Amino acid sequence: MQTQLAEFIRDTPEGREAEAILRKCVHCGFCTATCPSYQVLGDDLDSPRGRIYLIKRALEGAPVTRKTQLHLDRCLTCRACETTCPSGVRYGRLLDIGRAVVDERAPRSPMDRFFRAVLGFALPRRRVFSFFAALGTWLRPVLPRGLKAKLPRLAAPAGEWPAPRHARKMLALAGCVQPSLAPSINAAAARVLDRCGISLIEARGAGCCGAVRFHLDYQEKGRDDMRALIDAWWPLIERGEIEAIVMTASGCGSTVKDYAHHLARDPEYRDKAARVSGMTKDLSEVLPLEAIAEGAARGRVAFQSPCTLQHGQQIRGTVEARLARAGFEVTAVRDAHLCCGSAGTYSLLQPGISGDLRGRKLAALQEAGPDCIATANIGCLSHLQGSANVPVRHWIELLDEATA
Ligand code: SF4
Ligand code: SF4
């Protein structure tokens, strides 16, 4: 696609990156077929091709309006379009650049700014979020049904975390919302890995991976969270005490694997960020398949592969293989490439589209009559849990129970 970027961005690193991406797009529209927002809204401007056009126009200096921003806001950043695109267009990177420019030129309404500021303050701070999660759980019985579906369920107890006893050690990210919503996930990962001869540890002071604030369009504050997390991990990495950084939430995994890109223009952090990204693995990548004892029949599971796993990290089939080895019957899921509508804070900012996508996803997941739904990301887990007819668990919790 021919582009003539405006002077304000032409000779910047962002401008050069955006231009290279834009030139790759041939406007074929193959990506629209796999775009969830286009499937719900049916407007080309809510498809990847339409948004690429809007970003191109904004970077060329055309007037930017609240409508431009709305179409970009409706993007779930699921990156299904990247998986589909035959030309290798890195849409996610282009969107980050486009959103920053559009936000600068089209100021948001005071209410929108306030809501985003509240989310950007509360979600990445573990204690603040934990307070609100506890309050929501307490108020649940007296709230209307619609609001109830948005609130987290009472978290199951974490259970025992084995003391580090193996020479092989890996570092887990506790994250910001996961310890309140499902402390059992990392503990289950620690127990399963312990049985495989790997001790899982968490670093003191490690907080949010930066995804929350970055995707709320506080990109620089998101980078601050990334730097803070690198600082918390760095002593363990420098001393060579850990062989990998393990992600139990695919949303965080996708972001941390991208630190090398996000901090590439920071001379103080770029090398550290590249090392951290290189060491980061999804849990399903580090848990050896052959270490899982082959199990007897344990019931039917529908696996919801989060977008951040299948599109963001391009990991497919690893979780399903581990569940099947442990004895679970993994059911086929229609339209498995489509987003469930969670997408970080999207479910709160775009509740209509998000709710529609959740309904479609749950219908597909429950079609084959599974006993439970498994996922690999805390955001998807709590989003689906709100309306599912069967329990929704993290896959490592199922594996922990199956191999105990
Ligand atoms: S992003 Fe890829 S699939 Fe979509 S219109 Fe451009 S070239 Fe075609
Ligand atoms: S990231 Fe997802 S929602 Fe956004 S344009 Fe691509 S396919 Fe559509």
Side-chain angles (χ1 to χ4, degrees):
M1 196 194 287
Q2 283 301 315
T3 48
Q4 286 292 329
L5 295 198
E7 211 173 313
F8 76 93
I9 195 152
R10 190 183 307 142
D11 293 321
T12 64
E14 289 80 10
R16 283 189 284 274
E17 187 180 10
E19 187 163 24
I21 298 170
L22 285 168
R23 283 186 187 283
K24 279 193 162 188
C25 179
V26 294
H27 233 60
C28 62
F30 287 163
C31 51
T32 54
T34 56
C35 174
S37 60
Y38 179 73
Q39 294 216 347
V40 172
L41 300 163
D43 181 342
D44 201 53
L45 293 178
D46 289 310
S47 79
R49 181 172 61 179
R51 293 187 180 111
I52 288 170
Y53 175 74
L54 290 174
I55 295 169
K56 171 184 177 316
R57 297 284 298 133
L59 300 184
E60 286 177 338
V64 168
T65 64
R66 178 69 197 110
K67 193 169 176 302
T68 316
Q69 194 171 49
L70 178 69
H71 291 298
L72 300 193
D73 283 352
R74 285 175 177 164
C75 171
L76 296 119
T77 51
C78 67
R79 293 166 65 185
C81 47
E82 287 189 22
T83 301
T84 314
C85 176
S87 305
V89 171
R90 307 201 73 174
Y91 168 85
R93 299 246 164 110
L94 183 67
L95 183 72
D96 289 342
I97 297 167
R99 276 183 168 167
V101 168
V102 168
D103 263 27
E104 222 170 75
R105 301 185 156 221
R108 294 181 179 277
S109 69
M111 188 49 107
D112 194 6
R113 282 208 304 274
F114 174 73
F115 192 36
R116 283 168 181 265
V118 170
L119 294 176
F121 175 78
L123 295 181
R125 290 175 174 81
R126 206 174 297 163
R127 286 202 183 138
V128 177
F129 180 77
S130 154
F131 168 77
F132 284 113
L135 188 67
T137 310
W138 187 67
L139 290 175
R140 173 181 275 275
V142 296
L143 292 174
R145 205 159 163 248
L147 193 54
K148 239 187 246 185
K150 291 191 187 306
L151 290 175
R153 301 267 165 95
L154 197 61
E160 184 215 359
W161 187 302
R165 62 187 173 115
H166 301 294
R168 292 185 68 190
K169 289 192 180 52
M170 294 185 186
L171 184 58
L173 173 64
C176 47
V177 302
Q178 188 165 296
S180 309
L181 297 180
S184 51
I185 294 176
N186 275 15
R191 289 189 290 270
V192 173
L193 287 176
D194 181 71
R195 288 176 213 132
C196 302
I198 299 165
S199 287
L200 195 64
I201 56 173
E202 287 179 351
R204 273 178 189 277
C208 177
C209 69
V212 172
R213 296 209 284 181
F214 191 87
H215 292 302
L216 279 168
D217 286 336
Y218 301 120
Q219 294 192 1
E220 207 39 54
K221 287 180 180 165
R223 286 194 190 94
D224 288 343
D225 293 338
M226 296 174 196
R227 293 183 191 101
L229 186 53
I230 292 175
D231 287 344
W233 282 342
W234 198 249
L236 286 165
I237 296 172
E238 226 179 3
R239 291 199 297 268
E241 287 180 24
I242 50 149
E243 62 179 71
I245 302 170
V246 182
M247 295 290 154
T248 55
S250 60
C252 308
S254 180
T255 299
V256 179
K257 283 184 177 183
D258 254 1
Y259 274 14
H261 167 74
H262 290 308
L263 297 173
R265 289 165 204 139
D266 180 334
E268 202 189 327
Y269 278 85
R270 91 178 132 220
D271 293 342
K272 291 179 180 179
R275 184 140 168 221
V276 164
S277 290
M279 291 179 78
T280 299
K281 305 272 178 237
D282 182 72
L283 177 59
S284 65
E285 293 180 288
V286 298
L287 178 62
L289 186 62
E290 59 287 359
I292 301 167
E294 285 184 76
R298 290 189 181 276
R300 293 159 66 77
V301 178
F303 180 60
Q304 181 262 346
S305 180
C307 303
T308 42
L309 190 71
Q310 58 170 320
H311 304 305
Q313 300 184 58
Q314 295 287 318
I315 295 174
R316 296 188 192 95
T318 53
V319 173
E320 293 92 323
R322 279 148 187 78
L323 287 171
R325 175 135 176 141
F328 293 99
E329 184 191 337
V330 183
T331 62
V333 177
R334 177 175 48 83
D335 292 335
H337 60 282
L338 284 181
C339 182
C340 68
S342 168
T345 53
Y346 190 93
S347 58
L348 301 167
L349 294 165
Q350 301 287 341
I353 307 170
S354 168
D356 191 321
L357 289 169
R358 175 166 68 179
R360 293 176 192 218
K361 178 58 76 178
L362 282 173
L365 285 165
Q366 292 173 164
E367 220 160 52
D371 302 309
C372 108
I373 294 168
T375 183
N377 190 47
I378 184 65
C380 310
L381 191 154
S382 40
H383 179 62
L384 293 173
Q385 213 171 37
S387 305
N389 298 326
V390 292
V392 185
R393 315 276 309 274
H394 191 287
W395 66 271
I396 199 66
E397 297 179 287
L398 299 179
L399 212 66
D400 177 37
E401 288 162 11
T403 58

